[in-house]
Amino acid sequence: MTVQIHDGTRWQTVCALADLQPGRGVAVLLPEAGQIALFRDGAGGLYAVDNLDPFSGAPVLARGLIGSRGDRPTLISPMYKQVYDLTDGRCLDEDTAPGGAPAVLRRWPVRTAAPGGAE
């Protein structure tokens, strides 16, 4: 199985599913989308969000920790430890980032496909 991310135009194969270690993230660079943080959780769920931390401005979210709050899968930023809900991208700790922008990560559609599947 391969992992594909939709860049807003088409599905792009980014890696083999077996390359993703549960609980760990990887940074993916897509020409149309920029840097994306891709995660696989212990139950096999896949999540893709922008890699840029809204609070520090650093591209580090792929190095964050995934976990949960209640039944919601979460991502903890490695910089200032804000927690994001991976189902909708919003920060669970603060409503706005520095400068007043909403503290929300862009989510990217992600799926698995058979090797050689349509992109």
Side-chain angles (χ1 to χ4, degrees), residues 82-93:
Q82 283 86 4
V83 178
Y84 297 90
D85 184 328
L86 285 170
T87 62
D88 62 15
R90 68 187 170 88
C91 181
L92 300 176
D93 299 323

Side-chain angles (χ1 to χ4, degrees), residues 16-94:
L17 181 60
D19 292 339
L20 297 176
Q21 294 182 358
R24 302 230 176 182
V26 296
V28 175
L29 180 61
L30 295 180
E32 301 297 321
Q35 288 190 34
I36 296 173
L38 175 62
F39 299 91
R40 180 179 180 190
D41 66 18
L46 296 172
Y47 305 94
V49 296
D50 277 344
N51 195 37
L52 192 67
D53 182 320
F55 290 88
S56 68
V60 296
L61 291 179
R63 299 294 169 233
L65 299 172
I66 60 172
S68 63
R69 278 200 185 165
D71 62 347
R72 308 292 285 196
T74 59
L75 168 64
I76 303 170
S77 170
M79 294 300 288
Y80 302 125
K81 312 306 183 234
Q82 283 86 4
V83 178
Y84 297 90
D85 184 328
L86 285 170
T87 62
D88 62 15
R90 68 187 170 88
C91 181
L92 300 176
D93 299 323
E94 300 179 51

